[in-house]
Amino acid sequence: MNKRNMYTSVRYLLACLLLISGGVVSAQSLTALIEEAAQKNLGLKAWDQEYQSAMERAPQSRLLPETQLSVGAFALPVETRNGPQRLRVGTMQMFPWFGTLDAKEELSRKQAAPLVSKKDLHAIDVEYQIKLAYYRLFQLKESREILNRNITLLESLRQLSLSKVEGGKASTADVLRLEIKLRESRQQLAIIEKQWIQPQSRINQLLNRDPLTHISVDDSFQFAQLNLEPKHNFHSQKTDHPALQILSKEQDRSRAAIKLNEKMAKPRWGVGIDYLLVDDIPTADFETNGRDALLFKASLNIPLQSKVYQSKNREENLRIEALETRKNLMEDQFLAQIEQAIANHESAELKYDLYEKQEESIRSVIQLLQSDYSHNGERFDELLNLEQDLLSYELKKLEAIVESHHAKAALERIILN
């Protein structure tokens, strides 16, 4: 190995060591990563906290209006039969119409309910993002192995070329061209190590851990199979999707608002009591002289602006209709995304079949050309070109496998199991 190749190899090893030493090596499967995200993702924790905060409004909504307390002193005492009134102390408690507090509490709970579905929707998105990043890591890992195999083949071919040059059956140009291809492959390996950082950091971010924590991909993926009937499953389970649940729960909130609005349009009533402090009449002597007074009172607030409540009801009913339209639109979008995912999967399958057949044919031809070159030193150009074609088809076949899993992940994002 010359100095330049040795330097490249040392650099590659140092890059690997630095990458691994940047964090703790974590050998986790895709399933384990998704399960860990369900516990540690900050976005999911935030939705939990928002829901708990919103639920605190429910008991608050059952509170009665503040009790009114009044105190009054007579600047000019009111003379009564029992004596002059000096001080008045009173209290009044208003009450909403029967069932209003229950309607308020129900509205508070309906307002909090969409937050649960929003958390579920975020969880689906987190799972999808982890899958995409993990499939990218798998693709990089497999690409590295394919490149290493290609380097091994090129190295063996280089040794063969050197022996042919020594025997006068090959040109030095053959060896130089092989060294150029080897340099390209080693450079691609170094690039892969750099590309590894982005999907790894993305997964670590979703799991709320150090972005340099190394992820070792243990899973080995074959071409993904779709064992389902997407349209049938979607129509039978569409109400389970959190995105549609959010809209349905918003409709329930509007219905609860209408129910409360109808209660608010009813009269409000109150009861109270006043205590009046009365002084004695110094010149009088009778049994009730200076006796304090106690006054019981009731009040009734009658809403006269009925148009306000009618307008509020129309507003909420229109909102319910708009949300229903949005649900229909979202269902159409889901169906379009399902069709697109199926088309992507079928396209990946066609490409995979083609690349696999091409790979098998090229391997057969390479064996024949290697035999010719080994014996006669001929057809080197064809052999080298086919070696590169083989590398290209292996990488393309790997890409088709990843595309099939992307398509399946897109379907699973919509059709929940």
Side-chain angles (χ1 to χ4, degrees), residues 69-334:
L69 181 64
S70 61
V71 178
F74 293 94
L76 298 174
V78 177
E79 295 292 341
T80 68
R81 180 176 176 278
N82 294 337
Q85 296 179 355
R86 296 293 184 182
L87 184 69
R88 178 191 293 263
V89 178
T91 181
M92 171 68 74
Q93 176 64 61
M94 297 300 296
F95 296 91
W97 191 256
F98 303 101
T100 301
L101 296 182
D102 290 336
K104 282 186 175 182
E105 183 178 18
E106 182 182 2
L107 177 59
S108 296
R109 296 187 183 280
K110 296 296 184 183
Q111 288 172 332
L115 296 175
V116 177
S117 296
K118 288 180 180 180
K119 177 195 171 184
D120 294 339
L121 185 62
H122 184 73
I124 291 173
D125 185 62
V126 168
E127 179 177 337
Y128 180 70
Q129 295 298 326
I130 290 176
K131 285 179 178 179
L132 294 187
Y134 196 83
Y135 295 147
R136 178 58 177 160
L137 291 179
F138 164 75
Q139 184 178 7
L140 292 173
K141 184 196 77 168
E142 293 296 314
S143 297
R144 185 168 53 200
E145 293 179 2
I146 291 171
L147 284 168
N148 281 325
R149 288 198 300 269
N150 180 255
I151 289 173
T152 301
L153 290 172
L154 291 175
E155 286 283 7
S156 63
L157 190 57
R158 179 175 173 274
Q159 294 300 323
L160 179 60
S161 296
L162 285 172
S163 65
K164 289 298 177 184
V165 170
E166 292 175 358
K169 294 183 178 181
S171 169
T172 306
D174 295 347
V175 178
L176 293 176
R177 290 172 64 187
L178 283 167
E179 288 180 352
I180 292 172
K181 295 299 181 182
L182 281 167
R183 193 180 304 119
E184 289 179 0
S185 295
R186 291 192 178 100
Q187 189 66 18
Q188 286 178 335
L189 282 176
I191 293 172
I192 283 176
E193 297 308 322
K194 297 299 182 182
Q195 292 175 333
W196 188 276
I197 295 173
Q198 193 277 330
Q200 175 180 269
S201 299
R202 180 58 177 154
I203 291 176
N204 287 327
Q205 175 196 352
L206 293 170
L207 270 62
N208 187 30
R209 62 188 188 187
D210 191 328
L212 294 179
T213 301
H214 183 66
I215 298 174
S216 177
V217 179
D218 289 343
D219 291 333
S220 180
F221 297 101
Q222 302 299 320
F223 193 89
Q225 301 299 322
L226 303 182
N227 299 320
L228 45 80
E229 298 176 9
K231 286 186 177 180
H232 171 73
N233 285 352
F234 175 70
H235 282 300
S236 62
Q237 302 176 10
K238 61 185 179 182
T239 54
D240 292 335
H241 197 282
L244 293 171
Q245 284 185 2
I246 291 171
L247 299 178
S248 295
K249 290 177 180 180
E250 288 291 345
Q251 288 178 313
D252 292 339
R253 188 211 66 80
S254 290
R255 294 186 186 100
I258 291 173
K259 183 177 178 182
L260 175 61
N261 189 55
E262 291 172 351
K263 296 292 184 182
M264 295 295 291
K266 302 291 185 181
R268 292 180 291 279
W269 53 281
V271 294
I273 185 172
D274 282 354
Y275 181 82
L276 288 85
L277 183 64
V278 179
D279 278 350
D280 296 338
I281 301 175
T283 59
D285 183 16
F286 53 90
E287 184 178 353
T288 59
N289 185 20
R291 187 172 68 183
D292 296 338
L294 194 62
L295 173 67
F296 293 97
K297 56 185 179 179
S299 67
L300 187 67
N301 290 352
I302 302 175
L304 299 178
Q305 301 295 331
S306 60
K307 291 183 178 180
V308 174
Y309 299 102
Q310 294 171 2
S311 177
K312 177 64 176 175
N313 282 350
R314 287 195 299 270
E315 175 190 344
E316 295 297 343
N317 280 316
L318 288 171
R319 187 168 184 269
I320 291 172
E321 292 178 9
L323 289 168
E324 189 65 29
T325 302
R326 287 186 178 276
K327 283 168 65 176
N328 294 332
L329 174 61
M330 187 171 292
E331 289 173 8
D332 291 341
Q333 290 173 340
F334 281 163

